[in-house]
Amino acid sequence: MVVFGGSCRKDFNYQESTGNLSFSKDTVYLDTVFTNISSSTYGLKVYNESNIDISIPTITLENGIDSKYRINVDGQSGSIFTNTPLFANDSLYIFIETTVDISESTINEILYTDAIVFDNGENEQKVPLVTLVKDAIFLYPKENTIIKNTNEEEIITNGFILYDELHFTNEKSYVIYGYAIIPENETLQIDAGARVYFHEASGIYVQKNSSLIINGAISNDNETLENEVIFQGDRLEPEFSDDPGQWGSVWLSKESSNNQITNLTIKNATIGLYIEGDNSETTTNLTIHNTQIYNSATYNMWCNASTITATNVVMGYSGNSSLIIVNGGNYSFEHCTIANYWTSTFRSGTALQINNNTLLNSINFTNCIIDGNSTNEISLIDNSNITNFNYNFKNCLLKTTIDTTENSSKYITVYINEDASFKNTNKNSFNILETSFAIGKGSTTSISQDILGNSRSSNPDIGAYQYILE
């Protein structure tokens, strides 16, 4: 006890900091946030690399009490900290958050800056803080609207009717909380370049006699996609950029009509597109062109007894199947790339799954790639006891263990287990490279341009992308 008592330090002699602090970051970048929405919490570590216990006279925000940043120094919140001790060869944590309101501004985004200031005068040190703040139009339930199916079962409880917002422009982003429901006999129009962000368990519901028309266009910059319409979750931090299941779905009910989608990217949903139909051969539920859907937690596109025409559509990473078709319907897929290289968890579904549990009127795949990281990426399940299972693959590149020679009338000029040679499957980049077997193997097509606007030749490449020599 005498030994331990004598070894305990009863007092500390601190020397004032002389401006020799070091930091884990030269600048703290708080990632993009929406106006009036709090950022995530970011950390800064402050080091005393000397052999002397020091006291930092002041730690404060340069903009003082008017700052939009909030800091916490070693567990204490505040705006001004004095005489903060820091032992020799030790460190302390500073945590930073911000909430900025630019809704009254005349511009749609600003770069908001401040700095954490340590000491003053000759010993002053600063660490800048930088945040990009975007203005947005926030849409959310004033009071919940309950949507029921034909059996009077509740299917949406956190919905709201889009009475006043039936034209989304590219002037500001849109942030949706809950399911935005298009009113009956109305159409939601979305302009090229629009950005729509969805909160958790949110989406768009196209109800009876309503329509969704997305008018995206081909972009000049394939990185920024300035003319593409983009649907994604509302978490803007980089660590969420490829996180599946952040929001709900775009849901087209079976009584909606004239739904048209052009140049849309859907990412990080639970179900990217859910399309209901009634097995009608005369009503088209959806026409979709130049669209990519990926990183869905379950399915990128779930087609239920629907009638769909799809051209230049890419369906990538998905936790189950990239494309699932159930309960019959009528389908035409031309120059589509369906490629599931999901690695986040175990994936039970194939890239393409067709369940023929009722009459499938017709489904045609022409000039399509069906691929993935499993040995078989096509599942054809016939539970209907109906003799007509009307599917057809023509000039397609297929990864499958199915013996296509046993039913050659349904597999016309198909290429089995050849190398599609994609650019980067980890990034859902399904452009084909010069080594791709798909080059020049397509049949004559009326789809004269690929998903990026590149011209197709008389012997087009299979899939949504035409190979272009860089």
Side-chain angles (χ1 to χ4, degrees), residues 228-263:
E228 188 102 349
V229 175
I230 298 179
F231 287 0
Q232 67 177 84
D234 65 348
R235 298 300 301 269
L236 305 183
E237 302 92 328
E239 60 265 32
F240 288 94
S241 61
D242 297 317
D243 194 20
Q246 294 179 40
W247 56 284
S249 179
V250 177
W251 185 345
L252 311 182
S253 74
K254 66 180 180 181
E255 295 178 298
S256 67
S257 61
N258 193 36
N259 297 297
Q260 300 173 39
I261 295 175
T262 304
N263 288 91

Side-chain angles (χ1 to χ4, degrees), residues 126-311:
K126 292 182 181 181
V127 176
L129 307 175
V130 180
T131 308
L132 179 64
V133 185
K134 298 170 68 72
D135 195 7
I137 296 170
F138 292 87
L139 303 173
Y140 51 89
K142 306 291 190 300
E143 57 182 49
N144 283 347
T145 298
I146 297 174
I147 295 294
K148 298 182 179 181
N149 62 17
T150 52
N151 296 323
E152 291 300 307
E153 299 168 328
E154 293 182 3
I155 55 177
I156 293 178
T157 58
N158 62 333
F160 62 96
I161 304 293
L162 281 171
Y163 288 117
D164 301 320
E165 292 286 350
L166 290 172
H167 183 195
F168 289 8
T169 71
N170 56 19
E171 294 177 4
K172 290 184 180 182
S173 299
Y174 294 81
V175 183
I176 295 178
Y177 289 75
Y179 269 81
I181 302 167
I182 304 174
E184 281 196 52
N185 303 311
E186 298 287 353
T187 298
L188 172 60
Q189 297 264 0
I190 301 182
D191 290 351
R195 300 291 187 260
V196 185
Y197 299 88
F198 297 90
H199 196 61
E200 182 181 6
S202 300
I204 291 176
Y205 182 73
V206 189
Q207 68 167 321
K208 179 180 180 181
N209 298 327
S210 64
S211 303
L212 173 65
I213 297 182
I214 297 177
N215 296 311
I218 291 174
S219 300
N220 296 315
D221 188 330
N222 292 327
E223 294 296 326
T224 62
L225 296 175
E226 77 280 3
N227 293 324
E228 188 102 349
V229 175
I230 298 179
F231 287 0
Q232 67 177 84
D234 65 348
R235 298 300 301 269
L236 305 183
E237 302 92 328
E239 60 265 32
F240 288 94
S241 61
D242 297 317
D243 194 20
Q246 294 179 40
W247 56 284
S249 179
V250 177
W251 185 345
L252 311 182
S253 74
K254 66 180 180 181
E255 295 178 298
S256 67
S257 61
N258 193 36
N259 297 297
Q260 300 173 39
I261 295 175
T262 304
N263 288 91
L264 170 67
T265 291
I266 299 178
K267 58 183 179 179
N268 304 336
T270 300
I271 300 170
L273 271 175
Y274 177 58
I275 308 103
E276 289 184 296
D278 58 5
N279 268 319
S280 169
E281 295 188 50
T282 57
T283 301
T284 299
N285 299 107
L286 173 65
T287 301
I288 183 169
H289 178 64
N290 280 15
T291 292
Q292 50 184 338
I293 312 171
Y294 56 86
N295 286 351
S296 300
T298 54
Y299 304 106
N300 287 322
M301 186 184 291
W302 184 350
C303 310
N304 183 358
S306 47
T307 299
I308 297 172
T309 299
T311 53

